[in-house]
Amino acid sequence: MSTKRWIAVLAAAGLFLVSSAFTMFTALFSTGIDEFFDVSDQPFEERVVESGDGTGKIAVIHLNGVIENSYNPPGIFQAAGYHHENFLRQLDAAAEDGQVHGIIIRVNTPGGGVVESSEIHDKIVDIQEEFRKPVYVSMGSMAASGGYYIAAPAEKVFANSQTITGSIGVIMQSINVSELAEDLGISSEVIKSGPYKDIMSATREMTDDEREILQDLIDESYEQFVDVIEAGRDFSREEVYELADGRIYSGSQAYEAGLIDGLGHFHEVIDTMQEDLGRGNLTVVEYEPAFGLPGIFSFAAQRVFTNELDLLGITDWVHSNQGAKLMYLYTD
């Protein structure tokens, strides 16, 4: 590795250490020594948003970022992204906590993977049917495609009037660079076991047979999306088809179309759940990543034992942009 790259790595490491030290001392004085040195393996903790009268809780769980099951610790210049397994654990924890009487999922996502969205959807259905706990969804600035997929089974769904939602449909995409490669004198050699093994290759045109195969996959996932909305929103199938053409809706348009139950800010959704539950003044808590000495050491180890590309978050970016897959995702 060149001298310049070593300097860049050392500068990034120094910046990280200074930032970590500042964060550690801030957390130490704000949480207390005992809590800070807690070695609990729980990946998240509760933070009180609104104090109640002690009769129970409403749990707020945040879903931010693209819904996908490929999490890497963020680079030093990145914000923490969506962590699929941790999000599912938070749902389980709220479901199993006898003090939690209702759950609000604050959604801010353009959607994501078909499988991951389905897992969240099924978890919400289980919470409401098996644990008899209502789940409300509060949409943030965006809850499109997979973000709407997971909202559909919730007992009530709310959005801001300017929320971007809808985008009901499935997409699979890749880039074709065959003409550019030919101009640059670059050729691709592929050894494959079957005619469709390199389907959606970036270095050649797609055949009609390949397009038909992929369209069948898209149609199957689309019908599953329609099933979810038909069941969750009590629409007829024909009504869903009219709405599910891939277009986006504002919160106001979604409300008029019956895709959501009401318009309101996050704290108004909390107030609505308090009234609907009728259990008095419940304490409102939100789940957030646990922060203590073990967490710092874990993060530091992941950052130290990596290369400079990982420090900048480039490896994660490359990883997330490889390969085509079925997505409930809004892309602009």
Side-chain angles (χ1 to χ4, degrees):
M1 189 163 58
S2 67
T3 303
K4 289 183 178 179
R5 295 179 74 187
W6 272 116
I7 292 174
V9 172
L10 292 174
L15 179 61
F16 166 72
L17 291 174
V18 171
S19 175
S20 296
F22 177 78
T23 305
M24 181 176 67
F25 283 112
T26 301
L28 178 60
F29 287 109
S30 63
T31 63
I33 294 178
D34 292 339
E35 183 178 347
F36 181 77
F37 284 94
D38 182 23
V39 199
S40 170
D41 59 358
Q42 184 79 311
F44 53 89
E45 57 192 12
E46 293 183 1
R47 183 178 72 86
V48 175
V49 178
E50 295 180 8
S51 298
D53 56 18
T55 59
K57 297 182 291 187
I58 291 173
V60 175
I61 303 175
H62 294 270
L63 193 165
N64 296 311
V66 178
I67 305 170
E68 58 183 353
N69 193 13
S70 57
Y71 177 81
N72 282 325
I76 58 175
F77 302 117
Q78 297 174 302
Y82 174 75
H83 193 304
H84 188 60
E85 293 304 319
N86 277 356
F87 182 76
L88 294 179
R89 286 181 202 163
Q90 290 174 10
L91 289 176
D92 285 334
E96 296 167 3
D97 186 341
Q99 291 297 307
V100 172
H101 298 296
I103 300 169
I104 298 174
I105 303 177
R106 178 66 169 174
V107 177
N108 193 3
T109 177
V114 165
V115 172
E116 295 89 339
S117 299
S118 180
E119 289 177 343
I120 297 172
H121 168 276
D122 292 347
K123 187 77 70 175
I124 292 172
V125 171
D126 289 342
I127 290 172
Q128 295 183 135
E129 292 182 353
E130 296 183 17
F131 292 90
R132 302 295 179 184
K133 295 183 179 182
V135 177
Y136 288 9
V137 165
S138 170
M139 295 179 172
S141 61
M142 178 177 290
S145 204
Y148 187 78
Y149 186 101
I150 68 169
E155 184 168 314
K156 289 187 178 181
V157 183
F158 299 89
N160 183 277
S161 61
Q162 296 303 307
T163 296
I164 296 298
T165 186
S167 187
I168 300 169
V170 194
I171 191 170
M172 177 184 281
Q173 57 188 347
S174 68
I175 298 174
N176 189 299
V177 297
S178 56
E179 292 186 10
L180 176 62
E182 184 177 350
D183 292 341
L184 295 175
I186 300 172
S187 62
S188 174
E189 300 292 342
V190 179
I191 310 299
K192 54 186 179 180
S193 58
Y196 305 119
K197 184 60 180 173
D198 64 338
I199 197 168
M200 289 193 82
S201 169
T203 57
R204 65 174 178 79
E205 294 293 332
M206 186 182 299
T207 67
D208 291 339
D209 286 346
E210 290 172 331
R211 194 174 299 278
E212 184 177 349
I213 289 172
L214 295 175
Q215 188 62 55
D216 286 343
L217 290 175
I218 293 289
D219 292 344
E220 181 179 328
S221 294
Y222 173 74
E223 291 300 325
Q224 180 176 320
F225 206 152
V226 173
D227 290 340
V228 163
I229 299 174
E230 183 182 11
R233 298 301 305 173
D234 198 25
F235 282 131
S236 69
R237 201 162 190 83
E238 290 70 27
E239 289 174 326
V240 179
Y241 284 138
E242 290 181 7
L243 296 168
D245 58 4
R247 77 182 67 185
I248 57 173
Y249 298 92
S250 69
S252 297
Q253 293 171 337
Y255 179 59
E256 292 176 3
L259 289 168
I260 65 175
D261 298 290
L263 299 173
H265 298 296
F266 172 59
H267 288 284
E268 293 174 314
V269 177
I270 293 176
D271 293 340
T272 299
M273 176 168 273
Q274 293 272 27
E275 294 173 6
D276 292 348
L277 288 172
R279 292 178 174 270
N281 186 25
L282 299 177
T283 296
V284 180
V285 300
E286 66 178 6
Y287 295 166
E288 59 182 14
F291 190 86
L293 191 60
I296 288 180
F297 283 149
S298 174
F299 182 83
Q302 291 167 330
R303 293 298 92 192
V304 170
F305 296 105
T306 188
N307 59 41
E308 69 275 13
L309 294 181
D310 291 325
L311 282 169
L312 297 174
I314 297 174
T315 300
D316 187 41
W317 181 88
V318 172
H319 174 76
S320 64
N321 285 276
Q322 289 191 76
K325 57 183 178 179
L326 291 167
M327 303 287 282
Y328 295 138
L329 181 68
Y330 167 62
T331 58
D332 53 14

